[in-house]
């Protein structure tokens, strides 16, 4: 049986040669809008004549174009990461192949009569056959790539009918196994373009910049049969013959930090094409460093799928603009277009706003990794039958987007292993456009690429790479030893980029500061791209009409990958997550901190290109969070990469011997296209010497003895305890319950790491179901001592905790000593890669190696149950947002206030969240101000919510969380970090919480109604 047309190895037939996306004055008919639509669940081959102009489609549904039909009730969305949604049977697909027939009627203006024209599809998923007025135009595959068909002979005056049959699955599906929703339809724009005789078919802009001379060189290749002329008003070029090369003594170069563009027009008598030209030169220098305009660049980037929670990949210009503006406001300077070319308008925005772009081809065959017994069996990347399809995708990628100054690198695709077809793609791209380096992470020995990329390597491994210590043949995934002299490995002489790192799934990622710090140490380590920009949750509603964001499994799929699709730095609706706020701080382009000398401030300009003239600096001085004074600083005169110490402003002294902090802010001095004047770009805090000794927050006056008030109660000043359990039941007029020792948290997505297995370890020891037995309650002359044993059923390990309660009649102090008992088994840590830098001093390295594999805990602290009306929280500590040991750079020290509801972070899949770090004191009160004040002798962690950790862990969506009558307060001495273990390294050993003793002290004060 011969293959059906949608199962051929070829990329289709009938398409015009690919060309750039051009802004032209040639006539255009926008074919977006409501189309007649008919859906079938099977893979139809022959038609019933629906393509004929006279076919009656009055009974058909209407479907908007652009859109994807699953979001309009036809079939259902399916989320898979690596597995294919069809059997692995290339190039064939099942008969159950959802198919959509589209019809669009349009009227041809009289002025178009007899004029050449093409119909252009910007994106159709995954295979389309196209007819105009019953005449077949051709077949296209390559979902996220533009296709044009010549319609000159098929057009006719008046009414015309464009018909398209779209198959969800095709041979192209095997080349499009990206980690995203599996959807189908005409999801990008459709238009009819006049192609006038003597017009401009294509343009290729070459605009180079000589950094040493400040000069530019401009050459524009024009594909036309007529004479073309060039006008660039700002460069004094008017109507010049386009065939010449223009040497310009002085131009303003384009960069992501100063995205200057020159408006240009290429014209023939029949057509004008408008261009925005940016002069820049991309190169890898002799030391193996990626440069733009002669300057080393650091990619502080993100991987971006196109996504909207209501429209999926059918994004609008406003959607794209919001993405770009948010990236710029959060100091992101680079985008990898994972894993396909985006809508062409997105690249226009990158040119205008300033983002470095790694443009990736529409290619991924990741599912072939799952073949057995040998992975990657029959992978198309090394099968010559797929060569034409691979080259077609490379050509359509490069030709469409070759004129964008923002595009500084081509990427062959993603996770498609290795093979001859990828080498052929690289060779074709290098021949067509040698001005940009080529990237492909799957070329792990860097045989045919210019940029060496890896995914999810540990900081310890990146340190080795940065030092040029890779051995020839060494690979990390799959792991392979190397041998020989590192000087012989070309990767040690190449720029290194984090193709993907810091997997932003749920609460996290951790260790962003450690990763980006390596870019400061090693010039060839040039940053990279966090996975990923946005959670891809589809907006849905439960039976009660409450909105939530759906992920894999929410649509009844027979196979899915759960919430793995929700792994972004912004939530599905575009709201920044704490992870993005952390990333913004870590990558901020100005570092501000204490100087090496007393009385000085260190300012480091971390921009790659520009000085600090576009910023203004201000400062404020606080004592224990209370503002004392504020002012402005002169903007430091620092070029890109420069640093200097500047004197602190004249400051007054604090009055109470409290904690003095100087906060310095760098803000936009004037508005930018992406943010208003005054937008915060960077900040730093500097501790200052206090005018006196800080008060001891845990100090009490004369201690009072414990007294028995009844057979079941013990009085200790204003406190009342249960005599049997020793639990605190009342303080002053306030009744509540606690504390209990807490060692567990609702696992984050990263806690559930496939390799380091922390969540599994905690659950195996029963930390989520501790039972508490009071060992003793001893009343003394100066307090109350309670000893409690905490362990899970069927477990022989746990913690023994001693609470020493004391009071002076006003304040209640508890000194806590807790420590492990019994046998704590080894944690089944299967992560194979080095987590500890081999270059550390031996003692430090040995300690980190021990901690890396040690039994772990989520937290060591106290859980309190407070009245539900205590819904307002104030604290002095780190804030305003959540912070964890390896994700705390964005938290500044200050006074903050939030409701219990505002303390929550609504991760798409509920999990531990909302931890506030470095808390000195906190007050939890009702609307009148009555409640509880908690002070720590040591800095502590604070969290409060209206549900238990168990309820949080069991919820699949935010709508599953039901507020109870109690506020659950956590005051933790220590908590474990976050890591990126959902993919890649888990918690670095320096941020791990091992099973160990802890000593800490809290002081409680009842706050009466004012």
């Amino acid at each position: 049986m011969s293959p059906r047309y949608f199962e051929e190895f070829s990329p289709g037939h009938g398409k015009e040669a690919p060309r750039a996306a051009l802004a032209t004055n040639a006539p255009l008919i926008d074919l977006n809008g409501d189309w007649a639509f008919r859906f079938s669940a099977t893979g139809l081959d022959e038609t019933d004549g629906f393509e004929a102009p006279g076919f009656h489609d009055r009974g058909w549904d209407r479907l908007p174009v652009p859109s994807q039909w699953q979001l309009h009730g036809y079939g259902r969305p399916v989320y898979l990461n690596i597995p294919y949604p069809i059997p692995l049977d290339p190039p064939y697909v099942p008969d159950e192949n959802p198919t959509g027939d589209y019809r669009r009627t349009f009227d041809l203006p009289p002025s178009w009569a007899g004029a050449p024209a093409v119909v252009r599809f910007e994106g159709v998923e995954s295979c389309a056959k196209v007819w105009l007025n019953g005449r077949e135009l051709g077949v296209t595959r390559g979902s996220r790539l533009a296709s044009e068909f010549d319609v000159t002979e098929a057009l006719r005056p008046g009414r015309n009918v464009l018909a398209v049959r779209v198959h969800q699955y095709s041979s192209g599906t095997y080349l499009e196994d990206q980690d995203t929703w599996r959807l189908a339809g005409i999801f990008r724009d459709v238009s009819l373009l006049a192609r006038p005789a003597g017009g401009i078919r294509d343009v290729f802009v070459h605009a180079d910049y000589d950094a040493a001379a400040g000069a530019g060189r401009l050459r524009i290749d024009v594909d036309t049969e007529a004479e073309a002329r060039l006008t660039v008003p700002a460069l004094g070029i008017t109507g010049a013959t386009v065939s010449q090369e223009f040497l310009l003594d002085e131009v303003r170069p384009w960069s992501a930090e100063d995205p200057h563009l020159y408006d240009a027009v290429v014209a023939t008598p029949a057509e004008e094409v408008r261009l925005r030209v940016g002069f820049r030169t991309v190169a890898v220098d002799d030391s193996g460093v990626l440069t733009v305009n002669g300057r080393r660049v650091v990619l502080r980037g993100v991987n971006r799928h196109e996504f909207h929670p209501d429209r999926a990949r059918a994004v609008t210009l406003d959607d794209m603009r919001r993405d770009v503006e948010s990236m710029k406001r959060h100091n992101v300077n680079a985008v990898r277009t994972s894993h396909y070319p985006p809508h062409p308008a997105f690249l226009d925005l990158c040119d205008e706003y300033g983002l470095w772009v790694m443009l990736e081809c529409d290619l991924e065959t990741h599912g072939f990794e799952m073949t057995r017994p040998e992975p990657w069996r029959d992978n198309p990347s090394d099968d010559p039958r797929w060569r034409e399809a691979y080259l077609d995708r490379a050509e359509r990628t490069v030709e469409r987007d070759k004129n964008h100054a923002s595009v500084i690198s081509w990427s062959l695709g993603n996770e498609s292993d290795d093979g001859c077809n990828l080498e052929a793609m690289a060779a074709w791209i290098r021949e067509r456009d040698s001005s940009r380096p080529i990237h492909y992470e799957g070329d792990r020995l860097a045989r045919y690429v210019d940029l060496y990329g890896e995914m999810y390597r540990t900081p310890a491994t990146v340190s080795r790479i940065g030092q040029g210590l890779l051995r020839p043949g060494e690979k990390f995934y799959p792991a392979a030893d190397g041998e020989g002299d590192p000087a012989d490995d070309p990767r040690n002489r190449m720029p290194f980029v984090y193709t993907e790192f810091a997997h932003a799934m749920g609460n996290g990622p951790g260790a962003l500061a450690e990763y980006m710090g390596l870019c400061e140490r090693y010039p060839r380590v040039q940053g990279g791209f966090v996975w990923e920009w946005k959670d891809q949750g589809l907006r849905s509603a439960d039976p009660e009409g409450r909105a939530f964001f759906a992920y894999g499994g929410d649509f009844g799929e027979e196979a899915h990958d759960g919430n793995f699709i929700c792994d972004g730095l912004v939530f599905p609706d575009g709201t920044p997550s704490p992870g993005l706020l952390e990333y913004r701080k870590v990558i901020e382009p100005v570092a501000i901190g204490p100087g090496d000398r007393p009385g000085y401030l260190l300012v480091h300009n971390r921009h790659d290109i520009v000085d600090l003239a576009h910023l203004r600096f201000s400062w404020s001085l606080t004592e224990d969070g209370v503002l004392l004074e504020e002012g402005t600083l002169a903007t430091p005169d620092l070029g890109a990469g420069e640093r200097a110490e500047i004197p602190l402003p004249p400051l007054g002294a604090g009055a109470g011997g409290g904690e003095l902090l100087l906060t310095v802010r760098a803000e936009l001095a004037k508005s930018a296209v992406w943010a208003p004047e005054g937008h915060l770009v960077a900040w730093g805090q500097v501790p200052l010497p206090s005018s006196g000794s800080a008060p001891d927050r845990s100090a009490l006056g004369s201690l009072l003895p414990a007294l028995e008030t009844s057979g079941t109660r013990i009085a200790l000043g204003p406190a009342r305890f249960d005599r049997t359990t020793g639990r605190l039941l009342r303080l002053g007029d306030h009744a509540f319950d606690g504390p209990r020792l807490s060692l567990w948290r609702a696992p984050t997505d990263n806690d559930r790491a496939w390799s380091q297995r922390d969540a599994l370890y905690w659950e195996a020891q029963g930390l989520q179901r501790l039972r508490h037995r009071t060992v003793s309650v001893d009343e003394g002359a100066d307090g109350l001592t309670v000893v409690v044993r905490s362990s899970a059923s069927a477990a022989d390990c746990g913690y023994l905790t001693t609470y020493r309660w004391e009071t002076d009649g006003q304040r209640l102090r508890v000194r806590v000593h807790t420590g492990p008992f019994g046998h704590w088994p080894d944690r089944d840590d299967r992560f194979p890669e080095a987590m500890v830098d081999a270059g550390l001093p031996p003692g430090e390295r040995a300690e980190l190696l021990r901690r890396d594999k040690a039994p772990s805990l989520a937290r060591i602290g106290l859980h309190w149950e407070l009245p539900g009306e205590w819904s307002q929280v104030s604290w002095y500590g780190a804030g305003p947002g959540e912070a964890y040991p390896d994700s705390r750079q964005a938290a500044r020290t200050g006074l903050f206030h939030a409701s219990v509801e505002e303390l929550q972070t609504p991760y798409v899949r509920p999990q531990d969240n909302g931890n506030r770090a470095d808390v000195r004191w906190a007050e939890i009160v009702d609307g009148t101000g009555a409640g509880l004040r908690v002070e720590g002798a040591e800095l502590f962690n604070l969290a409060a919510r209206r549900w238990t950790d168990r309820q949080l862990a069991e919820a699949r969506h935010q709508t599953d969380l039901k507020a109870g009558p109690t506020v659950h307060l956590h005051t933790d001495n220590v908590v474990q970090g976050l890591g990126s273990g959902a993919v890649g390294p888990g918690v670095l050993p320096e941020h791990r919480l091992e099973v160990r003793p802890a000593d800490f002290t809290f002081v409680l004060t009842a706050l009466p109604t004012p």
Side-chain angles (χ1 to χ4, degrees), residues 653-978:
E659 183 177 10
L660 293 176
L661 286 172
L662 179 72
T663 302
V664 178
R665 298 164 54 96
E667 305 165 337
L668 287 181
K670 59 181 181 180
S671 62
V673 66
W674 45 269
E677 176 185 348
H679 168 77
L680 180 65
V681 173
W683 61 270
Q685 282 191 315
V686 179
L688 300 177
S690 176
S691 59
S693 58
D696 181 358
R697 291 188 297 270
S698 65
L700 300 180
S702 299
L703 301 182
L704 301 180
L707 301 172
E708 181 181 338
T709 57
S710 71
T712 60
R713 296 289 186 269
I714 297 174
L716 182 61
R720 299 294 181 267
F721 295 84
D722 183 284
R723 187 179 183 194
T724 302
T725 65
R727 293 248 291 279
L728 177 63
L729 303 176
R730 177 176 292 275
L731 185 62
D733 295 331
H734 306 319
F736 52 85
D737 188 15
R740 292 183 179 89
L741 181 71
S742 181
L743 305 174
W744 184 73
R745 66 188 180 200
T748 68
D749 290 311
N750 290 310
D751 290 336
R752 299 175 186 270
W754 61 273
S755 57
Q756 293 191 314
R757 308 170 78 82
D758 285 290
L760 288 175
Y761 183 81
W762 302 337
E763 291 169 7
Q765 313 322 311
L767 302 188
Q768 78 279 19
R769 50 184 177 84
L770 291 180
R771 302 290 181 89
H772 307 277
R773 178 175 67 82
T774 302
V775 176
S776 61
V777 178
D778 294 325
E779 305 163 38
D782 56 0
L784 180 70
T785 301
V786 180
V787 179
V788 178
R789 185 185 192 273
S790 302
S791 185
S793 59
D796 65 350
C797 62
Y799 263 65
L800 191 68
T801 306
T802 300
Y803 301 89
R804 178 65 181 169
W805 297 94
E806 299 163 319
T807 185
D808 59 5
Q810 300 296 320
R811 307 166 78 214
L812 181 67
R813 180 171 64 196
V814 57
R815 301 180 189 269
V816 181
H817 170 78
T818 188
F821 65 81
H823 172 66
W824 290 80
D826 292 338
R827 183 168 48 83
D828 185 17
D829 188 336
R830 301 178 183 179
F831 192 73
E833 194 173 317
M835 292 287 283
V836 181
D837 193 333
L840 291 174
E844 181 181 353
R845 182 167 185 267
E847 172 61 13
L848 290 176
L849 287 171
R850 185 195 63 78
R851 290 182 61 180
D852 181 43
K853 303 299 183 184
S856 71
L857 301 172
R859 55 165 38 115
I860 302 177
L862 303 182
H863 171 211
W864 312 75
E865 295 184 27
L866 308 181
E869 59 269 21
W870 292 7
S871 60
Q872 302 299 313
V873 183
S874 301
W875 74 99
Y876 176 47
E882 68 181 31
Y884 290 79
D886 56 354
S887 181
R888 51 159 301 109
Q889 304 302 312
R892 58 183 173 85
T893 300
L895 278 173
F896 303 102
H897 175 84
S899 67
V900 169
E901 287 72 23
E902 290 168 340
L903 290 176
Q904 313 311 305
T905 302
Y907 294 110
V908 174
R909 186 190 72 77
Q911 55 200 272
D912 188 81
N913 71 90
N915 187 73
R916 267 58 180 182
D918 292 349
V919 177
R920 283 75 163 167
W921 59 261
E923 293 181 351
I924 305 91
V925 299
D926 63 16
T928 70
L932 179 69
R933 180 181 175 93
V934 182
E935 299 172 82
E938 306 82 14
L939 302 180
F940 65 96
N941 296 273
L942 175 77
R945 54 182 66 101
R946 293 192 179 275
W947 33 78
T948 66
D949 283 351
R950 290 285 296 274
Q951 292 168 329
L952 188 60
E954 291 167 0
R956 293 190 74 249
H957 299 98
Q958 290 294 322
T959 50
D960 296 330
L961 294 170
K962 314 294 185 187
T966 301
V967 168
H968 296 271
L969 176 69
H970 288 275
T971 56
D972 295 323
N973 176 243
V974 283
V975 299
Q976 172 147 295
L978 299 171

Side-chain angles (χ1 to χ4, degrees), residues 593-605:
D596 292 333
R597 296 174 290 170
Y600 281 81
L601 185 74
L602 177 65
V603 178
H604 178 197
N605 179 8

